[in-house]
Amino acid sequence: MKKAMYKVLAPFMVLLLLMMAACSNGSSDKTSSSASDSKDKKIKIGLTVGTLSNPFFVSMSKGAKEAAKELGGEAIVVSADYDLSKQMAQVEDFITKKVDMILLNAVDSKGIAAAVQQAKAAGIPVIAVDVGADGGVSATVASDNYLAGKLAGEYLLKRLQNKGNIAIIDGPPVTAVKDRIKGFEDAIKGTDVKVVAKQNGEGNREKALTVMENILQANSSGKIDAVFAINDPEALGVKIAAEQAKRDKEFFIVGVDGAPEAVDALKENKSFVATSAQHPDEIVKQAVDIGMKIIKGEKIESEIKVPVELVTQDTINSYKGW
């Protein structure tokens, strides 16, 4: 009887063992595949900047791509063209593409808050670069913009011997610009330097050129002794306006950035005399480092300031540039 029963059950036992083996192999394969996927996962970085027509952001873009390459990943770089709605859409696209971190150069520090909150809700760390941003960014990495403005202001004072009429070419409503203006204005406070014009050049050469043309029309020859522009593209626009009006020998210009074209202008030894130089590639590389620490669950600093340096016509040959 037992023998007969064994004959009946044996095939079922063999089938059961085969099924268990198959399940075991499937589980092993799945675990192996999961481990492989985790190991092979490439870091994906999203970077949105004010405009790629500015060499500063081109340098930042290169820095992001180099940093991503070192990690064996990729960097997706897009230009917002100083359009808030466009930048918000770009952040949403980064979320859809499931990037591992977003590097944000906000075109409007307050206006971008909702997009930052969306990324945060999706579990994606947002690191503000060059300018601060509302909405709960994980960290901010930027130049010491207050110092950039202060250095420019101190140099301007030295050349003017603490007196004269100046114009300020302001920029977009972001923290970096506000900090530069504050640093500059603090530097000239309590002196006999008078601001006769302050207008928004919107951070670009073309607009600054038009703004400076209007300032020159409103102020006759000899009424302006110096101009401070919040970045080099604006400063170069001011330079062109002065040259076209044949008034470039009346005043000198100080900018911020240390851009390649500013280097060329400084070497001309004409009206463009100094710039507070930044290091955009270093800003973005430090931002990527912070992003990786966040991903790994490590502690980070919420704010990092990258040093700036004043570059003049006298020191331009020793400046390394971007």
Side-chain angles (χ1 to χ4, degrees):
M1 176 69 74
K2 288 183 179 179
K3 192 173 182 180
M5 186 176 290
Y6 175 77
K7 285 182 179 180
V8 173
L9 293 175
F12 292 102
M13 292 174 66
V14 171
L15 180 62
L16 180 62
L17 288 170
L18 288 171
M19 289 174 66
M20 289 175 67
C23 288
S24 174
N25 286 337
S27 175
S28 175
D29 289 345
K30 186 179 265 188
T31 302
S32 174
S33 175
S34 177
S36 176
D37 288 345
S38 177
K39 187 177 179 182
D40 295 339
K41 186 179 183 300
K42 292 183 178 180
I43 291 294
K44 191 181 291 185
I45 300 166
L47 168 63
T48 169
V49 299
T51 173
L52 286 172
S53 65
N54 185 335
F56 179 85
F57 297 122
V58 173
S59 178
M60 190 173 277
S61 168
K62 289 178 181 177
K65 289 176 180 177
E66 287 172 6
K69 188 176 181 181
E70 288 175 9
L71 294 169
E74 66 170 321
I76 304 168
V77 181
V78 291
S79 175
D81 302 318
Y82 288 118
D83 183 330
L84 177 59
S85 60
K86 184 174 182 178
Q87 188 166 65
M88 292 182 77
Q90 289 170 344
V91 172
E92 289 172 1
D93 187 49
F94 287 155
I95 295 170
T96 301
K97 289 178 178 175
K98 297 182 179 179
V99 298
D100 296 285
M101 69 179 81
I102 294 173
L103 308 185
L104 171 67
N105 172 250
V107 301
D108 186 322
S109 296
K110 291 184 178 180
I112 199 65
V116 172
Q117 289 167 352
Q118 276 185 274
K120 191 176 178 181
I124 302 172
V126 180
I127 299 94
V129 291
D130 183 48
V131 300
D134 291 355
V137 295
S138 302
T140 301
V141 184
S143 296
D144 189 335
N145 286 294
Y146 178 86
L147 180 60
K150 187 170 181 286
L151 289 174
E154 290 172 346
Y155 182 76
L156 180 144
L157 283 178
K158 185 178 178 181
R159 286 188 68 117
L160 290 178
Q161 298 182 336
N162 291 351
K163 59 183 179 180
N165 296 330
I166 69 167
I168 296 176
I169 310 301
D170 209 331
V174 294
T175 57
V177 173
K178 292 176 183 176
D179 289 347
R180 289 174 202 175
I181 292 292
K182 187 173 190 325
F184 179 83
E185 291 180 338
D186 283 353
I188 66 172
K189 190 183 296 181
T191 69
D192 289 327
V193 169
K194 181 182 178 183
V195 179
V196 297
K198 182 179 180 182
Q199 294 188 33
N200 189 350
E202 298 180 4
N204 67 77
R205 182 185 305 199
E206 292 73 20
K207 179 64 177 180
L209 193 161
T210 301
V211 163
M212 195 61 206
E213 286 176 338
N214 294 335
I215 291 173
L216 290 175
Q217 288 174 8
N219 293 271
S220 58
S221 180
K223 291 293 178 69
I224 296 176
D225 302 300
V227 178
F228 169 63
I230 57 90
N231 68 8
D232 286 344
E234 284 189 354
L236 291 168
V238 170
K239 178 176 179 289
I240 293 170
E243 290 172 349
Q244 289 178 346
K246 300 189 184 306
R247 294 179 60 177
D248 52 304
K249 290 180 173 59
E250 292 178 25
F251 56 86
F252 62 86
I253 307 157
V254 180
V256 175
D257 275 348
E261 288 181 303
V263 170
D264 294 337
L266 287 172
K267 288 180 178 179
E268 290 178 357
N269 286 313
K270 293 183 179 179
S271 61
F272 196 127
V273 299
T275 181
S276 293
Q278 305 186 78
H279 302 282
D281 56 338
E282 183 61 24
I283 290 173
V284 81
K285 285 178 181 178
Q286 288 200 35
V288 171
D289 286 343
I290 286 179
M292 290 306 297
K293 285 181 179 179
I294 294 171
I295 291 169
K296 294 174 183 177
E298 298 176 11
K299 290 184 178 180
I300 62 164
E301 293 180 52
S302 60
E303 187 173 356
I304 293 178
K305 291 185 178 181
V306 179
V308 296
E309 59 179 310
L310 186 73
V311 180
T312 69
Q313 291 176 343
D314 295 328
T315 63
I316 187 59
N317 290 328
S318 61
Y319 173 56
K320 293 180 179 179
W322 302 344

